[in-house]
Amino acid sequence: MAESESQEGNSDDRGKKVENFEMDMEELIEKIEDLTVRVSWLAFDNIALQTNPDLPRAMQHLEDAYLACKEQMEKQQEVLME
């Protein structure tokens, strides 16, 4: 009787270990997938920059224009609120 109870306990422990292992593996796979995507984007950006050296300047111009537009929109919203 005690022997069968200890076997059930061992079985439960094994089940928990397997479940924990599976969860750990899923987390690791998700992290690896995230890193793979990041590396892919880094490679893409690097190739784009090498192909078109003017790209950073154009991106900076777009960012500046966006920030100026955003600032104007915020000012207009403040005026409308008053």
Side-chain angles (χ1 to χ4, degrees):
M1 178 91 173
E3 198 173 301
S4 66
E5 287 178 6
S6 73
Q7 287 178 352
E8 286 179 19
N10 286 342
S11 176
D12 288 344
D13 288 344
R14 260 188 303 221
K16 288 179 184 177
K17 287 180 182 179
V18 168
E19 187 176 319
N20 289 340
F21 175 77
E22 288 174 354
M23 289 174 56
D24 290 344
M25 289 302 292
E26 285 180 23
E27 288 178 17
L28 287 172
I29 289 171
E30 286 179 20
K31 288 179 182 180
I32 290 170
E33 288 172 349
D34 289 343
L35 289 172
T36 302
V37 170
R38 287 184 185 180
V39 167
S40 297
W41 277 111
L42 285 171
F44 176 80
D45 289 345
N46 189 21
I47 290 169
L49 289 173
Q50 288 178 358
T51 304
N52 185 359
D54 293 331
L55 185 61
R57 210 172 311 124
M59 293 299 291
Q60 185 63 49
H61 175 72
L62 284 174
E63 183 178 2
D64 293 343
Y66 166 77
L67 292 174
C69 182
K70 182 179 174 185
E71 184 179 331
Q72 288 297 319
M73 293 297 290
E74 288 172 353
K75 286 181 183 177
Q76 286 183 356
Q77 189 174 12
E78 287 175 6
V79 169
L80 290 174
M81 295 292 246
E82 293 175 356

